Amino acid sequence: MAPKPQRKKPLKRGKTKPTLPVREEEEPLNMESMGHPEIYPLVLTTMTQEIFDCRVDEDVTDDQPYKLIRKEDILADFENRAAVSDFYPVKKIVQEYPGDELLLVYDKDFKYGLNFYLIGTEEGKESYLNPPEAPEEQEEYKEYIPEDIYIYKPPVSKPWVSLGSEKEIEEESVKESTKQTKDHCLRWMFWKVTYMISRKRSDFGASVKFSDQNASTVKDAYIECTAYPDKNFTLKQLERDVGMQAVPQIRDTSTQTRWAYPKNATTQYYPREFSEEEKDTLGQSKTLTEFLNNVSISVEIALQQNEIMNTFVDDWKSLAEEEGTFGDKTDTHLKEYQSFTDLHNLAEKMITCICWHPVVCGLIAVSVAVRLSFEERVHFSGKLLLQPSLILFWSFSDPIHPQLMLESPDDIFCFKFCPSDPNIIAGGCMNGQIVMWDITAHADRIENIKAGGNRSKKVTLKPMFLLEPDSNKEAMYIRQCAVSSIENGHRKVITDIHWLPDTFEIRLSKGETTLDHCPTKLSLGEDNLLYKAQDKILAQSKAVKAGEMNPYQNLEGGLANHLKPIDDFCTKFFVGTEEGEVIYTDWKMERDPETGRLMTKKPVSLYSVHDGAVHTVQRSPFYEDIILTIGGWNVAIWKEGVTTGPLLQSSCAPKRYTSGHWSLTRPGLFYVGREDGSIDIWDLLEKTHEPAQSQNICITAITCVKPWAFSAKQQLIAIADYYGTLHILEIPWTLSHPSSNEASSISHYFEREVKHLEYVEQRKKIREQEKKEMDLELEKKKIKTYQKSKERLETELKADYDDYLELEKSTLVRLGLIKVEETGSHVEMM
């Protein structure tokens, strides 16, 4: 139906009212195609819903999804908002509606395409408000329909709503044309090609005889329609994207003079010697004597230089190393070397800890745990008991099958090899138990793993396809040899573990409060220092008493009276907590002066630097007093003995940090893993405020980072992710080989930062002293001001009192109550 023309009203001069947009009346859209001609879909905005009190989830709900609206209210909305009214598309229906109230229904599921629909007839309104009752047989049938049976509901077609696509179809469609237009270069026009086929009248109805013939020899046997260019339809190409690459012609050639007749030959000659007469003549020669005297000094200097310096050192090689360290950017990324994934046992598990075998080259162990939260672990506790908790031993010769599998009572979150015996392994469980394994019986199995050659020689790992896999594919399961009891064990998950000599004991307390810290990682210094201290204690015990006495028995009561304390051994250590705190404390116990018992000392210092749990606390392999801590969104570097704060504290990273590790060969470089699967490489020689570079390793969070140096020429780094995959990457030359003065430069940087902290602390004290002096000066001024104001007040009060006496005296004189003698100050009262 064509839209009705609207007559425009003439504008009046003078003040004009703002006019609302005019919209042509359209035929209201109903659902006649779906069998409901009385339903008209509408879109009601929030403003319209507030005007007619039909707000969604307030006035119209799932229980009562309809609203009766008065007809006169809608007509009034037409007068106020005209074409802007949301009821304008059904204006004609509203005007012709016979009743006083129209039924508006909220279409929550968009059954008819829009959020509301209007029922335009009285019969439809009554049918909706009072639906006919279903037959009893049908209701009984509905009661016995099971809920799990799927009932097919045919799809309901919706009305087609134009969004302008027909215009695009019209533009792209092929049209017939009888003449060529001006824009023939912009649009394609097509004409029908007509063919007329004719034959003689006598051939109609005649018998047909088929035979074979050569089409090239018979005239008019076939018609060839070849393509030809038509200038009327040639498009002029104004722009063309062409790519080309100039590739020089390269030829590899070589030439070598070939000796066709090899022959072994030797020659011998006698040395030329002076005769006795020639020797006497040369010995008496003045020319030779002068020559020797002139060149003897130069020869001696050259000989001394040869003794001091190595003349065979290639200076160009050292120069190239410097350039590769700072200028060459082509070899700065970690390269994928190999990856390990257990296809049978790592379903829904993550890697929690990595340890390279300290003796066997090419062997690495990882612990795995289920990827569940605490609430999920409690919910699936029954199923978790059926899944094994393992430590897997991977070999570079077989990336699919683990070599050994260590079983544990619960998921392992940390483990370490024993420094004195690599066949002993200790691990910490999720439930707080300590587990130990002994793999001595299987040492031959792992030592015979081929990882690139004999261990006695310089090791250079070969690629995976060059290694010979082990013929025995069956992984061996090894049970624990010792486990701690749950009753006397830890109450939370064990997140870090360290091997200690049996002469050390560490306890950590909160200090004055009764609450304990929640430590996650700790750094006790180098392991060799601990065992050196143990050797000193054992040497002292043997010197005191040699015999059957156990040096570890009753140290406090027996040998403690004879042994001397170790003065040159530091007992302080760093601890990272779950709250992001970094604690510097002492494990050496002191006696309580009141009770005489040994008590733990209070923490030396406590800093809240990290905004999340601390995941890494590690000492630098080059500086014993430099510690790296990683937690939350930042990293920090500390110096032991400096209690004013960290030497370096980074800004917040774009993603949370999860783990990290110092470089084993470069003093100023360390790696930090992130939760988005990227690894940040910090190079303090290049940048100290941000990572030198970042590289994406996987698509999920990195859980552990562990580098390892196989040889002077090859270094690898193991990176574990949240999905249980172990990535082995090769560290490039730039990140593995330090410059000639890197150690001294980094040491100088740390010393400069220590001086900066001292300066800041000194300035802080100066500012505090200046503030105290200013407060004291202000207080003195207040006192002086108070004293001055007090004296002034007394003077004013005295002057006022004198004025009062004079006023009183003059008043009494005027009243005649007193007489004042002119010759004196005598006052006579009447």
Side-chain angles (χ1 to χ4, degrees):
M1 182 175 181
K4 296 181 179 180
Q6 293 183 351
R7 179 178 298 173
K8 297 183 179 179
K9 296 182 179 180
L11 297 176
K12 297 182 180 180
R13 294 187 178 182
K15 297 182 179 179
T16 60
K17 289 179 65 176
T19 59
L20 296 173
V22 179
R23 185 170 59 182
E24 297 181 357
E25 290 190 12
E26 300 177 355
E27 185 69 22
L29 180 66
N30 61 1
M31 296 291 104
E32 186 176 1
S33 60
M34 300 177 61
H36 298 283
E38 75 281 0
I39 293 178
Y40 297 89
L42 292 174
V43 176
L44 298 188
T45 61
T46 306
M47 182 178 180
T48 304
Q49 295 177 17
E50 293 177 356
I51 293 174
F52 291 95
D53 294 333
C54 57
R55 293 182 294 270
V56 177
D57 296 334
E58 295 183 8
D59 301 318
V60 289
T61 60
D62 295 341
D63 298 333
Q64 187 176 358
Y66 60 88
K67 179 78 175 182
L68 291 173
I69 301 177
R70 293 167 42 180
K71 178 180 177 180
E72 57 183 12
D73 294 341
I74 302 177
L75 296 177
D77 188 56
F78 289 156
E79 295 178 359
N80 294 332
R81 298 196 294 171
V84 181
S85 174
D86 292 338
F87 290 97
Y88 193 82
V90 294
K91 180 178 179 181
K92 184 178 179 181
I93 304 300
V94 175
Q95 292 176 347
E96 297 177 355
Y97 190 77
D100 296 332
E101 292 182 339
L102 287 87
L103 181 62
L104 181 68
V105 183
Y106 171 49
D107 193 357
K108 179 181 179 181
D109 299 329
F110 292 88
K111 181 178 180 182
Y112 299 107
L114 302 178
N115 59 349
F116 284 88
Y117 61 86
L118 187 71
I119 298 179
T121 61
E122 284 288 333
E123 294 80 4
K125 182 175 71 173
E126 292 297 329
S127 177
Y128 183 87
L129 296 177
N130 301 312
E133 297 181 358
E136 296 181 357
E137 297 180 358
Q138 186 176 0
E139 292 181 356
E140 293 177 359
Y141 174 76
K142 289 183 179 179
E143 292 178 358
Y144 290 98
I145 295 178
E147 295 181 357
D148 55 349
I149 295 179
Y150 174 77
I151 300 175
Y152 172 76
K153 295 181 180 180
V156 179
S157 61
K158 297 181 180 179
W160 181 73
V161 179
S162 175
L163 299 178
S165 59
E166 67 274 10
K167 185 177 180 181
E168 297 179 1
I169 297 174
E170 183 69 19
E171 292 177 353
E172 298 295 332
S173 61
V174 178
K175 297 181 179 179
E176 296 182 7
S177 178
T178 58
K179 61 180 180 178
Q180 187 174 359
T181 59
K182 295 181 180 180
D183 57 346
H184 68 278
C185 293
L186 302 178
R187 299 182 59 186
W188 290 96
M189 295 298 177
F190 295 85
W191 289 266
K192 289 184 177 181
V193 179
T194 305
Y195 291 92
M196 184 179 68
I197 303 174
S198 62
R199 64 176 176 177
K200 296 180 180 180
R201 178 69 179 177
S202 59
D203 294 336
F204 283 92
S207 60
V208 180
K209 183 179 180 181
F210 297 97
S211 62
D212 297 331
Q213 65 181 9
N214 190 356
S216 59
T217 58
V218 180
K219 184 180 179 181
D220 298 332
Y222 68 97
I223 299 175
E224 183 178 3
C225 299
T226 58
Y228 64 96
D230 191 351
K231 296 182 179 180
N232 297 326
F233 303 99
T234 301
L235 296 178
K236 186 177 180 181
Q237 191 171 10
L238 301 178
E239 184 179 353
R240 176 182 295 177
D241 294 334
V242 179
M244 61 180 296
Q245 180 70 34
V247 180
Q249 294 182 359
I250 301 175
R251 179 181 298 174
D252 295 334
T253 59
S254 61
T255 178
Q256 180 66 38
T257 303
R258 183 178 181 184
W259 192 14
Y261 302 99
K263 185 183 296 184
N264 295 330
T266 59
T267 181
Q268 182 69 32
Y269 65 94
Y270 293 96
R272 181 184 175 186
E273 296 180 355
F274 292 103
S275 63
E276 294 297 331
E277 296 178 357
E278 292 175 344
K279 291 180 181 180
D280 295 339
T281 304
L282 292 175
Q284 298 175 2
S285 176
K286 294 182 180 181
T287 305
L288 180 60
T289 304
E290 293 177 357
F291 171 75
L292 293 177
N293 291 333
N294 293 331
V295 301
S296 60
I297 298 176
S298 301
V299 173
E300 290 177 359
I301 294 174
L303 293 175
Q304 291 177 3
Q305 291 177 351
N306 292 339
E307 291 295 331
I308 296 174
M309 299 176 60
N310 185 6
T311 58
F312 299 101
V313 172
D314 188 1
D315 295 332
W316 294 105
K317 185 180 294 184
S318 301
L319 184 61
E321 178 183 351
E322 294 291 332
E323 292 178 356
T325 303
F326 295 100
D328 188 9
K329 301 299 182 181
T330 59
D331 191 16
T332 59
H333 287 76
L334 304 174
K335 299 178 181 179
E336 185 75 23
Y337 183 83
Q338 198 166 342
S339 62
F340 298 95
T341 303
D342 190 0
L343 303 178
H344 304 286
N345 299 314
L346 281 182
E348 301 297 331
K349 290 193 176 184
M350 63 177 179
I351 296 178
T352 57
C353 186
I354 301 174
C355 280
W356 293 89
H357 198 283
V359 177
V360 180
C361 183
L363 189 67
I364 185 171
V366 298
S367 59
V368 295
V370 182
R371 300 194 302 264
L372 295 177
S373 62
F374 180 78
E375 292 78 7
E376 292 173 342
R377 283 180 174 272
V378 174
H379 182 70
F380 299 104
S381 57
K383 296 182 180 179
L384 293 178
L385 295 175
L386 303 178
Q387 297 183 3
S389 300
L390 304 171
I391 294 180
L392 309 178
F393 280 72
W394 293 103
S395 171
F396 282 10
S397 61
D398 191 354
I400 300 178
H401 303 88
Q403 302 297 319
L404 297 177
M405 291 188 180
L406 308 184
E407 296 180 341
S408 65
D410 205 346
D411 289 342
I412 298 293
F413 276 77
C414 60
F415 70 97
K416 277 191 177 180
F417 291 90
C418 179
S420 59
D421 187 1
N423 294 325
I424 304 298
I425 305 169
C429 294
M430 177 74 181
N431 58 3
Q433 289 181 291
I434 299 291
V435 187
M436 297 186 68
W437 297 269
D438 187 359
I439 60 173
T440 306
H442 310 280
D444 296 337
R445 175 185 176 91
I446 61 177
E447 288 180 359
N448 292 331
I449 294 174
K450 299 178 181 180
N454 192 0
R455 287 173 17 222
S456 61
K457 300 180 181 180
K458 293 184 178 180
V459 179
T460 301
L461 293 180
K462 300 179 180 179
M464 180 184 65
F465 55 83
L466 295 179
L467 302 179
E468 298 179 8
D470 193 357
S471 59
N472 186 10
K473 298 295 184 182
E474 296 181 359
M476 302 191 65
Y477 289 85
I478 302 175
R479 294 185 59 83
Q480 67 272 9
C481 62
V483 61
S484 63
S485 62
I486 300 179
E487 295 80 5
N488 300 323
H490 300 272
R491 298 182 180 179
K492 293 189 69 176
V493 56
I494 299 176
T495 56
D496 200 4
I497 191 169
H498 289 264
W499 283 92
L500 291 175
D502 53 2
T503 55
F504 291 88
E505 181 180 359
I506 298 177
R507 294 179 184 179
L508 184 62
S509 67
K510 186 74 174 180
E512 298 179 355
T513 61
T514 58
L515 298 176
D516 292 334
H517 290 285
C518 295
T520 55
K521 296 290 180 180
L522 54 92
S523 174
L524 301 176
E526 298 293 337
D527 294 337
N528 55 353
L529 296 178
L530 299 176
Y531 286 92
K532 286 180 182 178
Q534 182 190 19
D535 295 339
K536 291 183 180 180
I537 295 175
L538 294 178
Q540 291 179 11
S541 63
K542 291 180 180 179
V544 172
K545 183 177 181 180
E548 298 179 356
M549 184 175 180
N550 187 0
Y552 305 113
Q553 183 178 1
N554 196 13
L555 286 177
E556 182 178 355
L559 293 177
N561 299 327
H562 304 282
L563 298 180
K564 298 179 180 180
I566 303 175
D567 298 330
D568 58 346
F569 183 75
C570 181
T571 58
K572 296 182 176 63
F573 62 100
F574 283 83
V575 179
T577 67
E578 206 172 54
E579 295 81 10
E581 301 171 337
V582 177
I583 305 173
Y584 184 57
T585 184
D586 193 346
W587 77 51
K588 188 177 180 180
M589 305 178 71
E590 59 182 4
R591 291 189 180 275
D592 189 2
E594 297 180 358
T595 61
R597 296 181 180 180
L598 291 176
M599 304 290 292
T600 56
K601 295 182 180 180
K602 298 179 181 179
V604 179
S605 59
L606 188 149
Y607 300 95
S608 298
V609 174
H610 302 284
D611 44 11
V614 179
H615 302 286
T616 301
V617 179
Q618 185 189 15
R619 291 181 181 265
S620 171
F622 299 92
Y623 312 100
E624 296 178 358
D625 56 348
I626 299 298
I627 293 91
L628 172 68
T629 60
I630 301 173
W633 278 269
N634 61 346
V635 300
I637 296 179
W638 310 77
K639 184 177 177 63
E640 193 167 11
V642 179
T643 58
T644 54
L647 303 183
L648 172 65
Q649 182 179 355
S650 68
S651 58
C652 291
K655 294 293 182 180
R656 187 192 298 267
Y657 286 145
T658 56
S659 60
H661 204 283
W662 282 102
S663 172
L664 302 179
T665 54
R666 287 196 55 186
L669 190 129
F670 56 90
Y671 308 92
V672 183
R674 302 191 319 201
E675 65 177 357
D676 61 348
S678 299
I679 186 167
D680 290 344
I681 302 175
W682 286 74
D683 190 352
L684 300 181
L685 281 181
E686 186 175 348
K687 297 179 182 178
T688 57
H689 64 285
E690 63 180 0
Q693 67 182 64
S694 298
Q695 182 177 346
N696 184 263
I697 305 299
C698 51
I699 61 174
T700 183
I702 294 175
T703 58
C704 193
V705 177
K706 201 81 168 183
W708 190 255
F710 284 92
S711 65
K713 295 183 179 180
Q714 188 178 30
Q715 294 185 21
L716 301 180
I717 183 171
I719 300 176
D721 63 14
Y722 187 71
Y723 286 163
T725 302
L726 179 63
H727 306 269
I728 307 296
L729 297 98
E730 187 173 4
I731 302 176
W733 177 275
T734 306
L735 301 180
S736 60
H737 289 74
S739 59
S740 57
N741 58 346
E742 181 171 348
S744 60
S745 300
I746 296 299
S747 179
H748 179 68
Y749 166 72
F750 290 147
E751 292 175 0
R752 188 170 66 250
E753 292 300 322
V754 171
K755 293 180 181 179
H756 175 70
L757 288 177
E758 293 175 355
Y759 172 76
V760 171
E761 189 67 21
Q762 184 180 1
R763 295 298 301 173
K764 184 178 180 180
K765 292 180 180 178
I766 293 174
R767 294 301 182 190
E768 291 177 354
Q769 184 65 25
E770 291 178 353
K771 185 179 180 181
K772 290 181 180 179
E773 293 177 357
M774 292 175 63
D775 294 340
L776 183 61
E777 187 68 22
L778 183 62
E779 190 68 25
K780 290 181 180 179
K781 289 182 179 180
K782 289 182 179 179
I783 294 174
K784 291 181 180 179
T785 304
Y786 174 73
Q787 292 177 354
K788 291 181 179 179
S789 60
K790 184 178 180 181
E791 294 175 357
R792 186 182 301 170
L793 181 62
E794 290 178 354
T795 304
E796 292 177 354
L797 290 175
K798 186 177 180 181
D800 293 340
Y801 182 70
D802 293 340
D803 295 340
Y804 171 74
L805 292 177
E806 291 293 335
L807 179 63
E808 182 183 13
K809 182 178 178 181
S810 60
T811 302
L812 293 175
V813 170
R814 285 196 304 270
L815 294 175
L817 298 177
I818 60 173
K819 293 182 178 179
V820 181
E821 296 181 358
E822 298 179 355
T823 58
S825 60
H826 177 72
V827 178
E828 182 180 354
M829 300 292 294
M830 297 297 295

